[in-house]
Amino acid sequence: GASGGLVLLVTLLVGALGGGATAWAVAEVRTPVSPPLAIPGATSAPGTETEAAAQSILPSVVQVRTQRGSGSGWVLDGDGHVITNHHVVDGATRVQLLTSTGRTVSASVVGSDEENDIAVLRTEADALPPARTGRSATLAIGQPVIAVGSPLGLNGTVTSGIVSAVDRGGSQRLPMVQTDASINPGNSGGPLVDLDGRVVGVNTSIATLGSGNIGIGFAVPVDRAVSVAERIIG
């Protein structure tokens, strides 16, 4: 009833390969190779800051596939290290990465941190270009951002929104960046990006009333994510 209050469930964003996913979602995720993304070449100048940011980050974003399901990730450095969420690769030692061009490459799990929900993978050093990282410490409420990943198995999906809060606690284990950019199961581990194309967060979870995205998403601040990743890499 109206007096019962509103209950928000925080949901981790792993896209299922079977079972609880809808028939449509299962079909999309099980597609052996998603169609290559049509990324405009250098002769096609981006028309907006959002478009430019998307073009900049997309080649560095991957879909992460395990036997349990799928998530997203992004390339940290030129040594082939990829950041994703711990809950995406929990229990796995090797995974498959689907790139923005439709190429599939193998990766190993270097290590993960459950408390921070950050994991590091490693693939061929020359397989993917590294993303540029920004500073989550300088984020401002209302700042435009884009979320990039593979929601419901749809590789290379870009959505836009703003930073809703910069240090959100509450039901989160550690402070998070809150955004209203649309993120859904399969976005886990993908980057939250500013309009300069720099990663400012790692998309991790959403608050939901049980019917999917309601415009409240959470990302691990990139300052913390990179620090954890560097500690894992050693």
Side-chain angles (χ1 to χ4, degrees), residues 144-167:
V145 287
I146 62 173
V148 188
S150 301
L152 306 178
L154 298 172
N155 195 36
T157 294
V158 178
T159 58
S160 66
I162 62 170
V163 173
S164 304
V166 295
D167 195 22

Side-chain angles (χ1 to χ4, degrees), residues 35-114:
L37 289 173
I39 301 176
T43 57
S44 177
T48 67
E49 287 182 295
T50 301
E51 185 181 346
Q55 288 187 27
S56 174
I57 192 64
L58 275 167
S60 304
V61 180
V62 296
Q63 183 183 131
V64 180
R65 294 177 169 179
T66 73
Q67 290 184 333
R68 288 195 311 114
S70 67
S72 305
W74 53 279
V75 184
L76 175 64
D77 57 31
D79 293 324
H81 291 113
V82 174
I83 289 184
T84 187
N85 282 144
H86 164 81
H87 72 262
V88 170
V89 297
D90 188 19
T93 56
R94 296 197 65 82
V95 300
Q96 295 293 311
L97 306 180
L98 179 63
T99 73
S100 64
T101 61
R103 180 186 177 196
T104 301
V105 297
S106 181
S108 59
V109 179
V110 177
S112 64
D113 182 317
E114 183 176 3

Side-chain angles (χ1 to χ4, degrees), residues 90-231:
D90 188 19
T93 56
R94 296 197 65 82
V95 300
Q96 295 293 311
L97 306 180
L98 179 63
T99 73
S100 64
T101 61
R103 180 186 177 196
T104 301
V105 297
S106 181
S108 59
V109 179
V110 177
S112 64
D113 182 317
E114 183 176 3
E115 182 181 12
N116 287 283
D117 202 12
I118 293 295
V120 177
L121 316 176
R122 186 167 188 179
T123 186
E124 305 167 32
D126 62 347
L128 298 163
R132 292 185 299 138
T133 55
R135 290 288 312 281
S136 50
T138 62
L139 284 174
I141 295 173
Q143 178 176 336
V145 287
I146 62 173
V148 188
S150 301
L152 306 178
L154 298 172
N155 195 36
T157 294
V158 178
T159 58
S160 66
I162 62 170
V163 173
S164 304
V166 295
D167 195 22
R168 180 65 72 199
S171 60
Q172 303 300 308
R173 288 175 294 184
L174 295 168
M176 296 282 186
V177 176
Q178 182 182 331
T179 181
D180 69 347
S182 180
I183 53 179
N184 288 283
N187 270 119
S188 265
L192 188 69
V193 181
D194 66 19
L195 294 193
D196 288 324
R198 300 172 302 187
V199 181
V200 295
V202 182
N203 299 318
T204 297
S205 60
I206 58 175
T208 180
L209 296 172
S211 57
N213 182 279
I214 58 172
I216 302 175
F218 303 102
V220 179
V222 75
D223 296 352
R224 187 166 81 232
V226 170
S227 177
V228 171
E230 290 175 343
R231 185 173 73 245

